[in-house]
Amino acid sequence: MTDADAGGSAPNAIGTLNEGSVHDALKRRYAASGGGEAALEVPIDGFVADVVQGGRLFEIQTSGFSRLKRKLPALLRNHRVTLVHPIAEVRHIVKLPEDQDSETTRRRSPRRGTVFDVFAELVYMPTLLEHPHLTLDVVLIEEDEIRVFDGRRGRRRHGWVVVGRRLVEVRKTVSVGAMADLFVMLSPKLPERFTTADLAAAMRRPRRLGQQAAYCLHACDVVEIVGKEGNAIVYARNCA
């Protein structure tokens, strides 16, 4: 996308860029993926499913798994569900012009997302991933994060406020059937006994995510607590 493609006044540019919003774009992508007839926004069991395709429900959740604590268990009682969660492996920061004399800018963010970032959401419902009717698709994407200047609301980003996310490309989809699948991806980088610091290092992520990963893995009996090193809890794979 060039500056000319995103040009015009800020309100018009927002509308243009948000035509490919991540949620809507993934919803259309999954609706078209099965080859058969799909339905969107279908009322089911007191909730609304994003996509129904071939007897399976697809729930597109860009963030906030805590919001699914009621919805998912209810749907899983009678339906197979794929929970779709996009993570920005590549992100471009798009700043829309403040006025007619300014230009849209687009730069690549240095931060790269990985599949392990999903632990930050799974911490709200870790054991639900063990349900036999549930599959988790972690979709690694390239996206544009669209920002406008608002000095009253955007203090965290020096006046810039995020107003949308636009899907540029789906780079890879990782399907996860159980918490153990995520541990298998991590285990080659871990010692036999490990701490949350080791988990964070294996994921190349902050200690906070290591703690969230340990909580999820322990909640699902994938790992067990085997001791302490100072104040740090020591874990090992649960072979029982």
Side-chain angles (χ1 to χ4, degrees):
M1 182 183 65
T2 66
D3 287 352
D5 295 327
S9 65
N12 288 338
I14 291 172
T16 301
L17 287 168
N18 276 338
E19 286 176 359
S21 72
V22 171
H23 185 276
D24 289 345
L26 287 177
K27 187 164 61 176
R28 293 193 300 269
R29 184 183 181 91
Y30 273 85
S33 65
E37 185 175 351
L40 305 180
E41 304 295 333
V42 181
I44 295 178
D45 297 342
F47 299 92
V48 176
D50 284 329
V51 180
V52 178
Q53 167 73 271
R56 177 174 286 274
L57 314 184
F58 293 88
E59 180 68 23
I60 317 296
Q61 194 71 13
T62 57
S63 63
F65 281 17
S66 59
R67 303 169 191 166
L68 300 174
K69 285 184 176 180
R70 290 181 57 251
K71 182 176 185 177
L72 270 185
L75 294 178
L76 287 167
R77 281 196 290 267
N78 300 307
H79 308 280
R80 295 177 297 135
V81 179
T82 295
L83 174 60
V84 180
H85 179 57
I87 291 175
E89 186 176 51
V90 176
R91 174 177 289 137
H92 303 277
I93 308 300
V94 177
K95 291 184 175 180
L96 300 184
E98 300 177 50
D99 52 53
Q100 295 288 349
D101 297 324
S102 303
E103 293 184 352
T104 297
T105 64
R106 187 174 187 261
R107 65 173 178 84
R108 184 163 172 161
S109 169
R111 190 181 189 280
R112 292 180 64 89
T114 78
V115 64
F116 301 120
D117 290 328
V118 74
F119 280 121
E121 296 295 343
L122 287 174
V123 72
Y124 295 105
M125 47 169 224
T127 57
L128 200 61
L129 191 54
E130 308 304 293
H131 197 290
H133 291 170
L134 179 64
T135 300
L136 169 65
D137 276 4
V138 181
V139 185
L140 299 175
I141 66 171
E142 180 177 350
E143 71 172 19
D144 286 340
E145 182 181 274
I146 305 154
R147 300 181 184 182
V148 298
F149 187 81
D150 186 334
R152 293 173 299 175
R153 294 191 298 138
R155 294 181 180 179
R156 275 188 59 225
R157 297 185 175 92
H158 306 288
W160 291 93
V161 178
V162 177
V163 294
R165 298 167 62 195
R166 175 184 176 272
L167 181 66
V168 176
E169 178 187 9
V170 171
R171 299 170 68 89
K172 183 180 180 181
T173 299
V174 180
S175 292
V176 179
M179 197 67 70
D181 295 342
L182 289 169
F183 185 72
V184 167
M185 301 178 206
L186 275 173
S187 56
K189 305 173 185 177
L190 290 170
E192 186 175 339
R193 295 160 58 96
F194 53 89
T195 65
T196 56
D198 295 317
L199 281 167
M203 296 185 291
R204 296 183 178 180
R205 282 295 182 261
R207 181 71 172 269
R208 173 64 175 164
L209 193 66
Q211 294 167 337
Q212 292 170 326
Y215 174 82
C216 292
L217 294 166
H218 185 252
C220 295
D221 294 324
V222 176
V223 303
E224 60 181 341
I225 296 173
V226 295
K228 291 190 74 176
E229 291 179 358
N231 292 326
I233 298 173
V234 179
Y235 300 87
R237 181 165 192 167
N238 189 350
C239 299

